[in-house]
Amino acid sequence: MNQMTQAERSVQTGTGDVKFECRDVQVWYGEKHALKDVGVDILDKTVTAFIGPSGCGKSTFLRCLNRMNDTIPAARVGGQMLLDGEDIYDPRVDPVQLRARVGMVFQKPNPFPKSIYDNVAYGPRIHGLAPTRADLDAVVEKSLRRAALWDDVKDRLDDTGTGLSGGQQQRLCIARAIATSPEVLLMDEPCSALDPIATAQIEELIDELRDRYSVVIVTHSMQQAARVSQKTAFFHLGHLVEYASTDDIFTSPKDPRTESYITGRIG
Amino acid sequence: MSDPAMPAARARRSLLKTDPGTSRRNAAERRFRAYGAAAVVVAMAALAALMFTVFRDGASAFVQARATIPVVIAADVVDPDGNRDPAEMAGVLTMSYGRLLDQALTREIERRNIQVEGLTQRDITGFLSAQARADLRRAVLADPALVGQEIEWRMMTSSRVDGMLKGRVTRDTAARDAKTSVAQYDLAMALRDQGVVRAGFNWRFITAPDGSDSRPESAGLGVAILGSLYMMLIVLVLALPIGVAASIWLEEFAPKNRLTDVIEVNISNLAAVPSIVFGILGLAAFINFVGLPRSAPIVGGLVLTLMTLPTIIIATRAALKAVPPSIRDAALGVGASRMQTVFHHVLPLAMPGILTGTILGLAQALGETAPLMLIGMVAFVSTYPSAPPQGLLDPASALPVQIYNWTQRADPAFFERASGAIIVLLAFLLAMNLIAIWLRRKFERRW
Ligand SMILES: Nc1ncnc2c1ncn2[C@@H]1O[C@H](COP(=O)(O)OP(=O)(O)O)[C@@H](O)[C@H]1O
Ligand SMILES: [Mg+2]
């Protein structure tokens, strides 16, 4: 994957339909206006990278997409976010159902201190996706295979998930997220706690996941954004400064702030 | 570029020589370590002294001197009508059985040819426990076939004779004691030498109900242990679910606002309220207002529940707080509801902390005395409470109150009982702490 050329990737760019349509998104933490007028269309079957200096609101925006911000009492969200044309902040929407469709992988690998099997099976179980034990086994195997972890753990599914290496734990978290068959996969700096080899494996995985899911990845590494994404959004001080294809962002940025950032002058 | 704030190139010093600053720092560290070690030594010494005195005074309560002598159950005494009807035999008072025992002891002294100077009838009557007559009467009423027979009967001696065998009562103190005499002492020693009177493990101390002021040798902890057990049961059944539910709500669901702040502060305050205040509350609320009986484990249990709740809530909240937020994020992230998150992930991880806190709260409640005295659990109770739930309304005692009770009685034999009861209480507390440690080990998980 890392060897993939720029040309190869640009061919695959922008093949999806719009999955998330966001307009005028605002987020306040108490008095602090953390996200201002963000409008972005996130495409299906595409990896979208959010980059920007730390504290600029990347995670905040990502957490709006599956309403994880609901769990922060001080957070208020405004604007419109449509998933397949439906407003996810409509009062009739149950965030629990939304999160089954919009999975999330966190910065620090956070497997449950349960067996590997139970980690992956948890989502399908609570959503009733696998009525029989055989179905559940199949879902677990499929998810672990997609997360490129099956061969590592197939003989020790009963071992606890926290006993795996950091990279394996993160792949387990990815398997857990995709076990509920989400449509969108949100990843908040999924490699920042990992070593370069594990990072390369995850990046490869992200590229493979693109054929099914819309993947949104927050990263502080511009190289990573350039390697894995087709679309890139640059955030700065709570604003979405520029959103374009990854090639354009890195080769011909339109906004001077983007240029300063990717050339290393802010950040 | 050289920084002007930096001292100009410090003269290089040998690493083999410590500079004055470092020596001072090392000395301070050594001093601090010495203070710490000294503090530990003081604490351990205090504990050792406490344990030593308690065991010195109390260990003998678990041992009881008993006499084994052949007793003739004379038919004309216990069954004057001669028809072996237990209903009629029940009319014969304990006193008559005392005469049988006195005769048996006198015969035994003669048979063994024991000569004691100045031995009076009073010394012989007072040699055996008053409880022994009652026990014999009960045995005969339960089995009328014993009437007319001679049986080898093992019975408790009086507390003074018991004290002589344990060394508490000496020949000198016996001379000055109105309740015994030198002759009784000599008799006790002679019977001990012949193996008639022997000290053995005293199960009755653990199982029997309290004894009256004149019979310390028959006093036991049975009712107190049952009462304490019933109360712990009530505390566990009420305080654990209420405390855990309250903690979960406060920690996981409650909005952070003025009201929850006030609740939080008040729970901490409640933990600091002196226990006697809970006793007054229990008296006013449960006895005077609701009309529950005095001395009942249900009232004690309710009062102790109120007292234990803040402890359990504080421990549970600490345990819930200690569960990393990333676990909650993980569960919410795959679409678990908040309740599922709590019950599937957070609560199991908090369990060791919750259980430890609960057991420590129970241990605290087990040793609580003041509130129980206020609700009348200090009364003399000589009958066992029946099995729960009815028994929760029967009068009962409690371990710490029983200890207090015994220390207030005049006879020095009760002091031994009180110390023995402290050992029992400490054993229960130790067991509970061990269970807490074991639970923590068993459920401990790393994440
Ligand atoms: N839970 C929170 N409460 C208050 N302020 C927050 C919270 N989370 C983030 N913020 C603030 O919002 C801004 C954006 O944060 P975040 O989205 O985490 O930035 P990024 O992920 O781009 O580093 C920061 O200034 C941060 O201090
Ligand atoms: Mg972030």
Side-chain angles (χ1 to χ4, degrees), chain A residues 96 99 110 112 114 122 127 176, chain B residues 326 330 332 334-335 344-345:
Chain A
V96 164
R99 290 181 200 135
N110 56 355
F112 300 127
K114 297 176 187 273
Y122 183 65
H127 296 297
R176 179 177 66 192
Chain B
S326 63
L332 292 170
V334 290
H344 295 169
H345 302 284

Side-chain angles (χ1 to χ4, degrees), chain B residues 375-399:
Chain B
I375 57 157
M377 292 204 88
V378 79
F380 174 76
V381 183
S382 62
T383 47
Y384 297 106
S386 47
Q390 178 54 44
L392 300 181
L393 292 165
D394 293 346
S397 183
L399 272 173

